[in-house]
C-alpha cells in the first residue's frame, strides 16, 4: 500500500526535487548585493533606445548582407559534412552492419563525445591547430552536428522493422544493398526532416563562430558591441533574426510536405534550393575565402597541431594542471558554479515559459480550448510569439555579451543569458503541446463553470506536464553544454576560466577544464535521462 | 521527388569532395610563389579606426619594402599571438605581455620598434567623478573593470600595482573584476556608469581626452602607475621567408616614419617610432610570471 | 528428374533458450512439389521455414538443399538463386516505389554500384515490367508501395520472387492478413506461377481449405513435430480434427 502511494506521488516527488534543486541554485547568487552595475540601467536604456533606430546606412546594410551570407555558407558547408559524418558513424553505431556489441558501444561513444563538446569549443581547438581558416568553422559545426544527427540516424536505423530486411536478405542482398534498398528508404524522410530541423540551429551556431575570429554576423555584432555602437548591433541582430526565421519557416514547411504521401512542388523546389546553397557555400569558401583544404594538413599545420595537443596533454610540462590538486580544487568549484548556473537558467526559462505558454497557444487565443474568446487574446498571442522568436533567434553568446554590460560579472548574467535564449525555445515547444491537447475534457471543465486557474490546474496541467518535463530536461542538457560558451564573454563559470587560460596559453589548464566540462555534460545527460524515465512511468 | 532530393544530396556530397580536393591542389601551387607579408595589431581600440590606420601602414610598408603587405584584423589578443606563432603574421603591434608571449613562442622573433612613450609607459586608473577618489587604496569596495585579459596596460600592470598596494582584485572589489576587452570600452563603460572604476592605457586615455571623446565631467583619472615598458612592433623570423635583410628593411621603414605619415601615426598617439630590443621586456615577463600569467 | 529430392530435413532440432521449438523433425521434398504446412499456432511452422531458409541454424540434425549440406551454404548470393521467401506484406519496403521492390529480386546478382545506380535510373526495367504484368500490376510501376492495398502488395512480393526466380519458394502465411477473396487471388496466382516456373513451394497456412485446394501435399506440425505428412487426396477429416482439437484441450 505504502508503495502504491509512492507510485501515485512519484511524479510529484520528482517535481518537488526539481523545484528544490532550482531553489538551491538560487543561493549561488547574493541577492542582497547590488547585482546591477551602478550604471546598468543607463546602459540598458541606451541599448533599448537603439532598438528602434537600427543603423540603416547602405554601408552597414551591405556589410550585414555579406556577413549573413558568410554565416549561411559556413552553416550549409558544416551541415553537409555533418551529414557525411552522421551517415557513416550512424550506420556503424546502429549495429545494422555489425552485431558486435562492443563495436556498437564504441561508435555510440564517439558520437556522444562529438555531441558533448560545444561547437564553439571545437572551433577554438581547430583554430588553435589549423589556424584561422574557414574550415575551422566548418569542421567545428560538422563535428557536434554530426554527433547529434548520427545518434538520431543510428536510432532510426535500429528501429527499422525486421520483416522487409529479412525479405531482402533472402533475395541475396549484400550489406550495402540491404542498406540502400531496405534501411535507407525507411529512414530517409525521418532523417531529412530532422536535418532540416537542425539546420536552423546550425545557422545560429555558425553566427557565433565569429567569436574565435571567424567572420560572419556574430563577428560584426561583437565588433559593434566593442565599439558600443548599439545602432549597428541591432541591424546585425535583425539580419540574424530574419535569416533564422526564414530558415525556420523553410524547414517546417518542407517537413510538413515531406510527411504527406502526395508530391508537392515545394519538395523539388527545396532540392533545387539546397543545391544552389551548397554550390554557393562551397564556391564562396574556395573562391572568395581562398581556403585551401589540403593546406590544412600541410606539414606546418600538422606540426602546430601536434605542438598544441602535446601542450594540452602536458608533454614536457613540470607540473601539469591536471596533476595538481590546487588546480583541481579551483576547477571543481567552477564546475559546481557552472552546474548551478545551468539549473538557474533552466529554472528561469521554465518560469517564464509557464507564465506565457497558455496565451501563446493558438487554441487558447482563439478560445477553442477555454470557450471564452476576447479580442485582446490575439494581441497577447502575437506579442508572446514574437518574443519567443526574438529570444530563440539570438544565440546565448550574444545575449551574454549584452547582459554583461548591465549585470555584474558572476553566475547570474550567464544564467540569464541562457534563460533568455531558452525560454523562447521552451515556450514554442510547450505551446505546441498545448495546441495538440485533447480539448474535450477541458471544454467540459469550462462549461461546468471552472475558472481559468481551475482549468489550468485540473484540465491542462495534468495532461501537458509530462511532455513539458521532457522538454525542460532536454533543454537543460543543451544548456549544460552551452554554459561554457557564455562564460567566454565574462559571464562566469568554467567558460570564463577557459577563456583566460586560452589567452595565457595555459594548455594543461584547458585540458583540466575540458575534462570537468565533459564530466558535467555526462552527468547531466545521465540525470536527465533518469528523470525522464521516472516521469514516464 | 523525395528520392530526387536525397539522391541529389548524396551526389553533391560526392562531387563536392572530389571537386574540392582537385581545386585545392591548384590553389596551393599557385599561392606558393607569392608570399604576402602580413601585419597585425592587437585589437585594443576601436576596430574601425584601427583597421583604417593599419591599412595605411600596410600600404606604406609595401611602398618602402617592395613586399606585398596586407593587414589582417583580429578580434582577440590571444588569436593574434597564435597567428604570430604559426607564422601567419609577420609583423605585429603587440602590447608588452603579448609580445613577451610571442617572443617566448617563436625563437628568433624580435622587438624592433616602439614609441618614445613606450619606454616609460603608464596605466591610468579612472573613476566616476562623483566618487572623489584620492588614491589607489580608495578603490576597495567599488566595481572595477580591466581591459583585455591579455593587455599589459589594461590588465597585467594594473593588477600588479593593485597587488603592490595591498588590493586583491579577486576579493576587494564589489563583485569580481570585469574584462572589458579593450581600452576604449573600459573608459566608455565607466563613463556610462556600468562600472565605477577601471584601468587603461595612458596613451588611449590622453587621445580620448584630446579628441573630446570622453566627458571629463563624468570620469577622471585618480591614479597613475609607475612607468614600465610596453607596446612594440615585434617581427617574426621573416628573413627565412622573404630573404635576408627583410627584417632590417622593415625596421628601417618603421623607424623612418615621420611627419609625412602623421595621419597613420595618430592612432598610436605618437609622431615617430624608435628602436627597442627584447631585453627591455624582461621586467614585464617577470611580473607576468609572478602573477602566474606566464608559467 | 521429377523424383529428385530438393530438400531433405533430417532429425532437425531447434532450441530457443532451453525451449524446444522443433524436435527431431524429418521429411524430404521433391522438386516441383507444392507443400502446405498446417498446424495450430506455435506449432513451429515459421521456425521450420526460417530453418530451411537457413536464417536459423539447427541445434541438431541436418538440412540438405539440392544435395548440399546447409552448413556449406554460406554465400547468400548463391543461396538466393536456390531459395526465395515471401511473407505477410510487411516484407516490402514501403517507402520505395514498386519498381525497386520488384528489382530487389535482382540484388543477389547485381553489384553494389549497379544497385545504387538503379535507385536513380532503374536497371533491367523490362524484367520488372514483365513480372508486374504477370501479376497484373503493370500500371503500378512507379507507384509508392505504401499506397497499394494489401492484396496488391502481396502481388508485388510475388513479382519480386519472379525476378529472383529461385528454385524453392518458402511462403510464410502469405495470405494471413488478407480477406478471403484476395487471399484466394494471391494463392492461385502463387501456385500458378510456381507451376509455370517448375519451382518447389512450401507454404505455411492457417486455412486447411486453401491447403487442400492449391497444394499437392500437406505436412501437419504440432508441438514442433510432424503430426502427419500426406498427399492431399489421402487426408481424412479425423486427422484434421485431432490436429486442431487436441490443441484446444490443452
Amino acid at each position: 500500500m505504502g508503495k502504491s502511494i509512492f507510485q501515485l506521488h512519484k511524479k510529484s516527488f520528482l517535481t518537488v526535487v526539481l523545484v528544490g534543486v532550482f531553489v538551491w541554485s538560487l543561493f549561488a547568487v547574493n541577492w542582497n548585493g547590488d547585482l546591477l552595475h551602478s550604471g546598468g540601467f543607463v546602459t540598458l536604456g541606451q541599448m533599448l533606445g537603439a532598438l528602434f533606430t537600427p543603423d540603416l546606412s547602405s554601408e552597414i546594410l551591405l556589410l550585414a548582407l555579406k556577413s549573413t551570407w558568410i554565416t549561411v555558407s559556413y552553416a550549409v558547408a558544416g551541415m553537409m559534412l555533418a551529414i557525411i559524418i552522421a551517415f557513416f558513424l550512424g550506420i556503424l553505431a546502429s549495429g545494422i552492419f555489425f552485431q558486435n556489441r562492443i563495436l556498437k558501444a564504441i561508435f555510440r561513444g564517439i558520437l556522444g563525445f562529438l555531441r558533448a563538446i560545444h561547437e564553439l569549443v571545437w572551433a577554438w581547438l581547430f583554430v588553435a591547430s589549423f589556424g584561422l581558416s574557414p574550415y575551422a568553422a566548418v569542421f567545428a559545426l560538422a563535428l557536434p552536428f554530426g554527433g547529434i544527427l548520427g545518434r538520431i540516424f543510428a536510432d532510426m536505423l535500429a528501429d527499422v522493422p525486421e520483416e522487409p530486411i529479412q525479405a531482402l536478405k533472402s533475395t541475396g542482398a549484400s550489406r550495402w544493398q540491404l542498406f540502400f534498398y531496405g534501411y535507407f528508404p525507411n529512414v530517409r524522410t525521418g532523417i531529412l526532416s530532422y536535418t532540416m530541423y537542425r539546420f536552423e540551429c546550425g545557422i545560429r551556431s555558425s553566427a557565433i563562430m565569429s567569436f574565435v575570429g571567424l567572420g560572419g554576423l556574430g563577428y560584426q555584432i561583437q565588433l559593434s558591441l566593442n565599439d558600443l555602437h548599439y545602432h549597428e548591433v541591432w541591424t546585425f541582430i535583425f539580419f540574424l533574426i530574419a535569416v533564422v526565421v526564414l530558415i525556420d519557416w523553410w524547414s517546417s514547411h518542407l517537413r510538413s510536405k515531406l510527411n504527406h504521401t502526395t508530391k508537392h512542388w515545394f519538395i523539388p523546389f527545396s532540392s533545387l534550393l539546397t543545391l544552389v546553397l551548397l554550390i554557393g557555400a562551397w564556391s564562396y569558401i574556395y573562391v572568395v575565402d581562398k581556403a585551401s583544404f589540403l593546406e590544412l594538413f600541410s606539414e606546418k599545420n600538422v606540426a602546430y597541431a601536434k605542438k598544441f595537443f602535446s601542450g594540452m596533454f602536458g608533454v614536457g610540462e613540470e607540473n601539469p594542471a591536471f596533476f595538481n590538486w590546487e588546480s583541481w580544487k579551483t576547477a571543481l568549484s567552477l564546475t559546481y558554479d557552472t552546474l548551478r548556473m545551468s539549473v538557474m537558467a533552466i529554472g528561469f526559462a521554465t518560469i517564464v515559459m509557464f507564465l506565457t505558454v497558455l496565451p501563446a497557444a493558438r487554441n487558447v487565443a482563439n478560445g477553442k480550448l477555454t470557450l471564452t474568446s476576447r479580442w485582446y487574446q490575439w494581441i497577447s498571442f502575437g506579442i508572446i510569439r514574437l518574443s519567443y522568436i526574438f529570444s530563440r533567434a539570438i544565440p546565448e553568446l550574444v545575449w551574454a555579451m549584452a547582459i554583461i554590460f548591465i549585470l555584474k560579472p558572476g553566475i547570474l548574467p550567464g544564467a540569464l543569458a541562457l534563460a533568455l535564449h531558452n525560454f523562447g525555445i521552451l515556450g514554442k515547444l510547450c505551446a505546441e503541446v498545448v495546441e495538440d491537447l485533447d480539448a474535450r475534457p477541458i471544454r467540459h471543465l469550462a462549461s461546468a463553470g471552472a475558472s481559468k486557474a481551475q482549468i489550468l490546474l485540473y484540465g491542462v496541467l495534468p495532461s501537458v506536464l509530462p511532455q513539458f518535463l521532457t522538454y525542460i530536461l532536454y533543454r537543460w542538457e543543451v544548456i549544460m553544454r552551452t554554459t561554457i560558451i557564455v562564460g567566454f564573454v565574462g559571464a562566469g563559470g568554467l567558460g570564463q576560466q577557459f577563456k583566460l587560460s586560452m589567452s595565457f596559453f595555459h594548455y594543461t589548464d584547458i585540458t583540466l577544464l575540458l575534462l570537468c566540462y565533459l564530466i558535467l555534460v555526462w552527468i547531466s545527460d545521465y540525470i536527465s535521462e533518469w528523470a525522464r524515465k521516472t516521469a514516464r512511468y | 521527388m523525395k528520392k530526387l532530393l536525397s539522391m541529389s544530396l548524396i551526389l553533391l556530397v560526392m562531387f563536392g569532395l572530389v571537386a574540392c580536393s582537385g581545386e585545392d591542389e591548384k590553389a596551393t601551387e599557385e599561392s606558393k610563389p607569392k608570399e604576402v607579408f602580413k601585419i597585425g595589431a592587437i585589437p585594443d581600440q576601436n576596430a574601425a579606426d584601427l583597421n583604417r590606420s593599419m591599412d595605411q601602414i600596410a600600404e606604406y610598408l609595401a611602398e618602402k619594402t617592395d613586399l606585398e603587405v596586407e593587414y589582417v584584423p583580429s578580434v582577440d589578443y590571444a588569436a593574434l599571438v597564435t597567428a604570430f606563432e604559426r607564422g601567419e603574421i609577420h609583423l605585429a603591434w603587440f602590447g608588452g605581455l603579448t609580445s613577451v608571449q610571442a617572443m617566448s613562442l617563436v625563437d628568433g622573433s624580435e622587438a624592433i620598434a616602439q614609441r618614445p612613450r613606450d619606454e616609460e609607459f603608464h596605466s591610468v586608473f579612472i573613476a566616476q567623478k562623483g566618487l572623489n577618489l584620492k588614491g589607489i587604496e580608495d578603490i576597495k569596495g567599488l566595481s572595477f573593470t580591466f581591459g583585455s585579459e591579455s593587455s599589459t596596460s589594461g590588465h597585467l600592470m594594473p593588477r600588479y600595482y593593485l597587488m603592490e598596494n595591498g588590493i586583491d582584485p579577486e576579493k576587494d572589489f564589489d563583485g569580481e573584476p570585469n574584462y572589458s576587452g579593450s581600452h576604449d570600452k573600459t573608459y566608455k563603460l565607466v563613463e556610462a556608469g556600468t562600472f565605477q572604476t577601471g584601468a587603461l592605457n595612458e596613451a588611449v586615455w590622453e587621445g580620448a581626452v584630446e579628441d573630446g571623446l570622453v566627458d571629463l565631467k563624468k570620469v577622471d583619472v585618480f591614479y597613475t602607475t609607475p612607468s614600465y615598458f610596453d607596446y612594440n612592433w615585434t617581427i617574426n623570423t621573416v628573413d627565412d621567408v622573404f630573404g635576408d635583410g627583410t627584417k632590417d628593411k622593415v625596421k628601417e621603414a618603421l623607424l623612418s616614419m615621420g611627419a609625412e605619415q602623421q595621419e597613420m601615426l595618430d592612432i598610436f598617439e605618437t609622431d615617430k617610432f624608435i628602436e627597442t630590443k627584447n631585453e627591455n621586456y624582461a621586467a614585464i615577463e617577470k611580473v607576468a610570471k609572478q602573477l602566474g600569467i606566464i608559467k | 528428374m521429377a523424383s529428385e529430392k530438393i530438400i531433405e530435413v533430417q532429425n532437425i532440432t531447434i532450441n530457443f533458450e532451453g525451449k524446444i521449438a522443433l524436435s527431431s523433425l524429418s521429411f524430404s521434398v521433391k522438386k516441383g512439389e507444392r507443400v502446405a504446412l498446417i498446424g495450430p499456432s506455435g506449432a513451429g511452422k515459421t521456425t521450420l521455414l526460417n530453418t530451411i531458409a537457413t536464417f536459423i541454424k539447427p541445434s541438431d540434425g541436418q538440412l540438405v538443399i539440392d544435395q548440399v549440406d546447409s552448413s556449406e551454404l554460406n554465400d547468400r548470393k548463391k543461396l538466393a538463386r536456390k531459395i526465395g521467401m515471401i511473407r505477410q506484406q510487411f516484407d516490402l519496403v514501403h517507402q520505395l516505389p514498386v519498381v525497386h521492390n520488384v528489382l530487389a529480386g535482382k540484388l543477389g546478382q547485381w553489384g553494389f554500384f549497379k544497385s545504387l545506380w538503379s535507385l536513380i535510373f532503374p536497371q533491367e526495367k523490362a524484367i520488372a515490367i514483365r513480372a508486374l504484368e504477370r501479376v497484373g500490376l503493370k500500371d503500378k510501376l512507379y507507384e509508392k508501395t505504401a499506397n497499394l492495398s494489401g492484396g496488391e502488395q502481396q502481388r508485388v512480393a510475388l513479382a519480386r520472387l519472379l525476378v529472383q526466380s529461385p528454385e524453392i519458394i518458402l511462403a510464410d502465411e502469405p495470405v494471413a492478413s488478407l480477406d478471403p477473396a484476395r487471399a484466394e487471388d494471391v494463392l492461385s496466382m502463387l501456385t500458378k506461377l510456381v507451376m509455370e516456373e517448375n519451382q518447389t513451394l512450401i507454404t505455411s497456412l492457417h486455412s486447411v481449405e486453401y491447403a487442400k485446394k492449391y497444394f499437392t501435399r500437406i505436412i501437419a506440425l504440432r508441438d514442433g513435430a510432424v503430426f502427419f505428412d500426406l498427399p492431399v487426396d489421402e487426408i481424412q477429416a479425423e486427422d484434421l480434427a485431432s490436429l486442431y482439437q487436441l490443441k484446444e484441450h490443452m
Side-chain angles (χ1 to χ4, degrees):
Chain A
M1 191 63 204
K3 199 187 168 196
S4 73
I5 281 184
F6 174 71
Q7 291 292 348
L8 182 67
H9 293 290
K10 202 160 146 189
K11 282 180 200 170
S12 328
F13 179 69
L14 182 69
T15 313
V16 169
V17 168
L18 291 180
V19 171
V21 170
F22 171 60
V23 172
W24 157 78
S25 79
L26 293 179
F27 285 104
V29 175
N30 177 13
W31 297 96
N32 293 323
D34 291 330
L35 295 167
L36 257 62
H37 293 307
S38 33
F41 271 121
V42 182
T43 317
L44 182 65
Q46 291 167 346
M47 276 187 193
L48 289 181
L51 168 63
F52 300 100
T53 53
D55 189 336
L56 297 177
S57 63
S58 60
E59 194 189 336
I60 292 294
L61 286 181
L62 215 66
L63 185 61
L65 218 57
K66 190 182 166 227
S67 312
T68 307
W69 172 243
I70 295 179
T71 297
V72 172
S73 332
Y74 289 174
V76 168
M79 281 313 261
M80 187 181 107
L81 293 187
I83 292 171
I84 299 176
I85 292 172
F87 182 80
F88 289 106
L89 286 182
I91 289 174
L92 292 169
S94 67
I96 57 168
F97 276 15
F98 316 102
Q99 302 298 335
N100 190 327
R101 269 191 189 189
I102 301 169
L103 264 179
K104 205 167 122 180
I106 289 174
F107 284 111
R108 289 221 158 224
I110 294 175
L111 285 175
F113 177 72
L114 294 181
R115 208 156 38 93
I117 295 184
H118 194 278
E119 48 270 24
L120 201 50
V121 179
W122 279 121
W124 216 309
L125 297 178
F126 281 134
V127 168
S129 43
F130 289 151
L132 273 180
S133 152
Y135 287 107
V138 174
F139 288 162
L141 281 173
L143 287 189
F145 279 88
I148 296 166
L149 292 178
R151 161 83 188 281
I152 301 287
F153 194 42
D155 287 347
M156 283 180 177
L157 285 175
D159 286 344
V160 165
E162 189 78 4
E163 294 89 353
I165 304 301
Q166 283 279 344
L168 283 175
K169 264 189 198 165
S170 72
T171 68
S174 66
R175 276 176 183 165
W176 280 104
Q177 285 174 334
L178 269 189
F179 178 78
F180 281 110
Y181 277 75
Y183 287 107
F184 188 63
N186 256 294
V187 302
R188 188 181 50 206
T189 314
I191 194 70
L192 215 58
S193 91
Y194 191 76
T195 307
M196 280 310 289
Y197 165 68
R198 277 284 153 190
F199 186 40
E200 183 227 318
C201 312
I203 292 278
R204 271 188 277 116
S205 299
S206 166
I208 60 167
M209 285 302 159
S210 64
F211 197 72
V212 289
L214 300 159
L217 275 174
Y219 178 73
Q220 301 302 339
I221 292 175
Q222 199 190 354
L223 285 183
S224 305
L225 260 179
N226 275 345
D227 294 352
L228 309 187
H229 293 160
Y230 301 128
H231 302 276
E232 288 172 23
V233 171
W234 283 113
T235 313
F236 297 125
I237 286 185
F238 286 138
F239 266 80
L240 180 58
I241 292 176
V243 69
V244 166
V245 168
L246 215 62
I247 298 279
D248 191 30
W249 177 83
W250 178 32
S251 118
S252 67
H253 202 65
L254 179 62
R255 274 181 287 147
S256 75
K257 294 293 172 245
L258 279 174
N259 291 330
H260 283 302
T261 45
T262 48
K263 291 160 188 170
H264 192 279
W265 64 269
F266 198 71
I267 295 172
F269 166 75
S270 298
S271 331
L272 203 69
L273 188 60
T274 312
L275 203 78
V276 169
L277 277 177
L278 278 172
I279 293 172
W282 284 109
S283 26
Y284 177 80
I285 291 172
Y286 291 136
V287 181
V288 185
D289 263 6
K290 294 188 199 99
S292 159
F293 185 74
L294 288 186
E295 208 165 88
L296 287 184
F297 304 104
S298 66
E299 223 172 286
K300 198 177 81 180
N301 268 342
V302 170
Y304 285 119
K306 215 169 121 189
K307 189 173 164 197
F308 177 72
F309 285 109
S310 52
M312 285 195 53
F313 288 114
V315 177
E317 193 165 334
E318 263 174 45
N319 190 7
F322 42 79
F323 290 140
N324 182 334
W325 175 233
E326 282 302 311
S327 309
W328 268 102
K329 253 190 355 206
T330 328
L332 284 178
S333 103
L334 286 171
T335 310
Y336 180 71
D337 282 350
T338 309
L339 178 68
R340 288 171 57 142
M341 187 205 285
S342 73
V343 174
M344 212 189 295
I346 190 67
F348 288 148
T350 305
I351 291 172
V352 181
M353 179 276 284
F354 267 116
L355 291 178
T356 54
V357 70
L358 279 188
R362 195 161 275 117
N363 52 350
V364 174
N366 64 20
K368 281 218 173 103
L369 195 66
T370 50
L371 291 178
T372 52
S373 175
R374 304 246 195 290
W375 61 270
Y376 57 80
Q377 282 178 341
W378 278 113
I379 297 177
S380 57
F381 170 82
I383 292 174
I384 292 173
R385 280 298 178 121
L386 202 67
S387 75
Y388 283 178
I389 291 173
F390 209 71
S391 136
R392 197 155 61 85
I394 301 179
E396 306 87 339
L397 186 72
V398 176
W399 280 118
M401 283 195 238
I403 285 177
I404 50 160
F405 277 80
I406 299 156
L407 289 174
K408 286 181 183 161
I411 301 181
L412 187 63
L416 273 186
L418 289 165
L420 271 171
H421 174 64
N422 277 282
F423 94 82
I425 298 178
L426 210 52
K428 180 176 180 253
L429 289 171
C430 293
E432 276 162 12
V433 173
V434 176
E435 282 170 5
D436 291 340
L437 198 63
D438 182 1
R440 285 165 300 183
I442 314 279
R443 267 185 244 150
H444 178 79
L445 283 175
S447 61
S451 71
K452 262 199 175 163
Q454 284 168 327
I455 289 178
L456 188 69
L457 216 56
Y458 279 80
V460 179
L461 280 186
S463 20
V464 298
L465 267 187
Q467 193 58 42
F468 280 16
L469 192 67
T470 309
Y471 282 140
I472 291 169
L473 288 166
Y474 165 69
R475 283 318 298 181
W476 179 58
E477 283 178 46
V478 179
I479 286 179
M480 199 72 249
R481 286 175 172 68
T482 324
T483 45
I484 196 161
I485 300 314
V486 294
F488 284 179
V489 291
L494 279 173
Q496 190 165 7
Q497 198 57 43
F498 187 89
K499 169 86 197 308
L500 291 178
S501 299
M502 273 287 192
S503 289
F504 302 151
F505 303 97
H506 292 171
Y507 291 122
T508 54
D509 287 79
I510 295 168
T511 312
L512 174 64
L513 293 168
L514 274 182
L515 217 59
C516 290
Y517 170 61
L518 275 179
I519 292 171
L520 208 53
V521 168
W522 274 322
I523 289 178
S524 68
D525 280 6
Y526 183 79
I527 292 176
S528 149
E529 200 181 323
W530 168 82
R532 266 178 300 175
K533 268 191 193 145
T534 311
R536 208 175 304 147
Y537 301 116
Chain B
M1 272 309 133
K2 253 184 273 174
K3 186 187 77 189
L4 202 88
L5 184 65
S6 46
M7 278 303 142
S8 59
L9 258 175
I10 291 179
L11 282 177
L12 239 155
V13 166
M14 290 174 176
F15 287 137
L17 282 180
V18 173
C20 109
S21 39
E23 250 180 61
D24 287 327
E25 257 167 293
K26 252 193 272 163
T28 0
E29 275 165 30
E30 276 169 21
S31 67
K32 271 274 156 67
K34 241 191 178 180
E35 187 86 41
V36 178
F37 189 89
K38 289 181 179 156
I39 64 174
I42 47 172
D44 69 339
Q45 301 184 52
N46 185 306
D49 298 343
L50 192 63
N51 287 359
R52 199 174 333 107
S53 304
M54 288 302 289
D55 280 338
Q56 290 171 345
I57 287 181
E59 227 169 278
Y60 167 80
L61 284 177
E63 192 189 309
K64 284 271 174 178
T65 58
D66 281 334
L67 292 165
E68 198 181 323
V69 186
E70 189 190 325
Y71 166 62
V72 183
S74 173
V75 278
D76 186 84
Y77 284 51
L80 184 67
V81 177
T82 309
F84 189 88
E85 179 195 0
R86 301 168 56 83
E88 287 160 10
I89 294 289
H90 302 105
L91 174 72
W93 177 248
F94 278 130
L97 175 58
T98 36
S99 88
V100 166
Q101 285 176 332
M103 288 186 287
S104 76
L105 287 169
V106 183
D107 276 338
S109 58
E110 232 179 273
I112 49 172
Q114 67 182 181
R115 303 168 295 187
R117 71 185 317 153
D118 288 319
E119 293 183 308
E120 268 188 60
F121 207 79
H122 306 269
S123 294
V124 292
F125 279 69
I126 55 170
Q128 292 167 3
K129 203 75 181 248
L131 294 166
N132 278 323
L133 301 189
K134 298 278 181 290
I136 191 156
E137 42 303 320
D138 294 346
I139 207 170
K140 282 192 185 180
L142 300 175
S143 62
F144 177 81
T145 180
F146 289 119
S148 163
E149 68 268 13
S150 303
S151 166
T152 310
S153 51
H155 174 217
L156 182 72
M157 296 319 282
R159 180 181 282 269
Y160 178 69
Y161 287 112
L162 282 168
M163 306 275 269
E164 287 282 284
N165 285 286
I167 298 158
D168 182 347
E170 304 306 319
K171 291 195 184 114
D172 294 338
F173 289 124
D174 178 16
E176 285 165 45
N178 181 57
Y179 296 96
S180 75
S182 81
H183 301 294
D184 281 326
K185 211 166 154 190
T186 299
Y187 75 72
K188 282 182 191 161
L189 287 175
V190 175
E191 184 184 359
T194 311
F195 291 93
Q196 290 168 307
T197 62
L200 73 149
N201 176 325
E202 187 185 36
V204 174
W205 171 254
E206 283 173 2
V209 171
E210 215 168 284
D211 299 344
L213 296 175
V214 58
D215 185 353
L216 290 177
K217 283 188 211 111
K218 287 187 181 159
V219 195
D220 209 357
V221 174
F222 67 94
Y223 172 75
T224 305
T225 63
S227 71
Y228 51 86
F229 273 94
D230 202 352
Y231 293 79
N232 67 64
W233 287 102
T234 306
I235 195 160
N236 219 317
T237 51
V238 288
D239 287 0
D240 303 346
V241 187
F242 300 94
D244 283 337
T246 310
K247 186 190 283 179
D248 294 334
K249 256 197 304 187
V250 173
K251 187 170 173 179
E252 182 52 40
L254 285 172
L255 295 181
S256 62
M257 285 174 94
E260 270 177 58
Q261 288 78 33
Q262 192 52 48
E263 198 190 338
M264 48 188 106
L265 286 172
D266 273 347
I267 187 115
F268 300 103
E269 308 289 341
T270 187
D271 52 6
K272 64 172 178 181
F273 289 116
I274 59 166
E275 228 179 322
T276 187
K277 55 181 192 279
N278 289 9
E279 291 72 39
N280 290 345
Y281 295 88
I284 295 273
E285 191 174 357
K286 214 179 103 199
V287 170
K289 277 193 175 142
Q290 200 178 327
L291 296 179
I293 286 171
I294 293 183
K295 282 189 179 169
Chain C
M1 186 68 182
S3 63
E4 190 187 314
K5 284 177 187 168
I6 194 158
I7 301 171
E8 281 177 80
V9 175
Q10 291 159 9
N11 299 317
I12 278 190
T13 300
I14 305 262
N15 293 318
F16 283 138
E17 289 158 8
K19 273 183 163 177
I20 293 176
L22 294 179
S23 63
S24 199
L25 215 65
S26 297
F27 64 87
S28 60
V29 178
K30 292 192 203 91
K31 200 169 165 66
E33 271 193 296
R34 298 193 305 281
V35 181
L37 279 180
I38 62 169
S41 309
K45 301 186 295 278
T46 302
T47 310
L48 177 57
L49 287 174
N50 280 335
T51 311
I52 297 174
T54 73
F55 288 150
I56 302 175
K57 291 242 173 306
S59 322
D60 200 11
Q62 205 187 4
L63 169 69
V64 180
I65 291 169
D66 209 7
Q67 273 100 50
V68 183
D69 190 278
S70 68
S71 58
E72 288 160 36
L73 290 167
N74 293 325
D75 185 345
R76 219 159 49 195
K77 302 232 171 221
K78 275 188 193 148
L79 189 65
R81 306 304 308 265
K82 289 268 173 247
I83 303 176
M85 253 201 131
I86 178 169
R87 271 182 268 222
Q88 300 184 18
Q89 71 261 36
F90 312 121
D91 61 358
L92 294 178
V93 180
H94 284 188
Q95 292 83 353
L96 284 179
V98 168
V99 58
H100 294 312
N101 267 309
V102 175
L103 286 174
K106 278 279 173 199
L107 288 181
Q109 292 158 54
W110 285 356
F112 170 67
F113 286 105
K114 185 169 181 184
S115 48
L116 195 60
W117 190 239
S118 176
L119 278 175
I120 305 165
F121 301 106
Q123 304 290 296
E124 303 182 34
K125 210 163 70 181
I127 295 177
I129 294 174
R130 217 174 311 133
L132 281 172
E133 214 165 10
R134 285 175 73 183
V135 297
L137 287 175
K138 194 183 160 201
D139 53 325
K140 306 279 189 193
L141 192 61
Y142 290 114
E143 191 79 33
K144 201 171 164 190
T145 307
N147 297 349
L148 300 185
S149 72
E152 287 172 330
Q153 290 190 5
Q154 214 49 339
R155 284 195 272 163
V156 172
L158 286 182
R160 177 167 71 191
L161 273 180
L162 276 174
V163 171
Q164 187 182 346
S165 132
E167 289 173 40
I168 304 164
I169 292 176
L170 304 174
D172 188 8
E173 304 277 5
V175 295
S177 50
L178 300 179
D179 64 54
R182 281 180 185 71
E184 292 242 13
D185 178 50
V186 167
L187 270 183
S188 68
M189 193 172 284
L190 172 65
T191 46
K192 183 172 142 256
L193 294 172
V194 163
M195 280 191 279
E196 282 171 13
E197 305 278 318
N198 193 25
Q199 291 162 315
T200 310
L201 174 67
I202 304 182
T203 307
S204 67
L205 280 176
H206 264 316
S207 159
V208 180
E209 221 68 24
Y210 296 154
K212 280 182 174 168
K213 191 164 167 190
Y214 294 105
F215 292 81
T216 56
R217 173 179 166 193
I218 293 179
I219 297 177
L221 291 186
R222 196 206 59 191
D223 296 336
V226 174
F227 189 65
F228 62 76
D229 178 357
L230 296 166
V232 165
D233 40 19
E234 288 172 29
I235 289 175
Q236 307 297 314
E238 306 89 81
D239 295 334
L240 294 168
S242 54
L243 172 66
Y244 286 104
Q245 243 173 13
L246 252 171
K247 192 74 188 171
E248 275 172 38
H249 277 286
M250 279 174 74

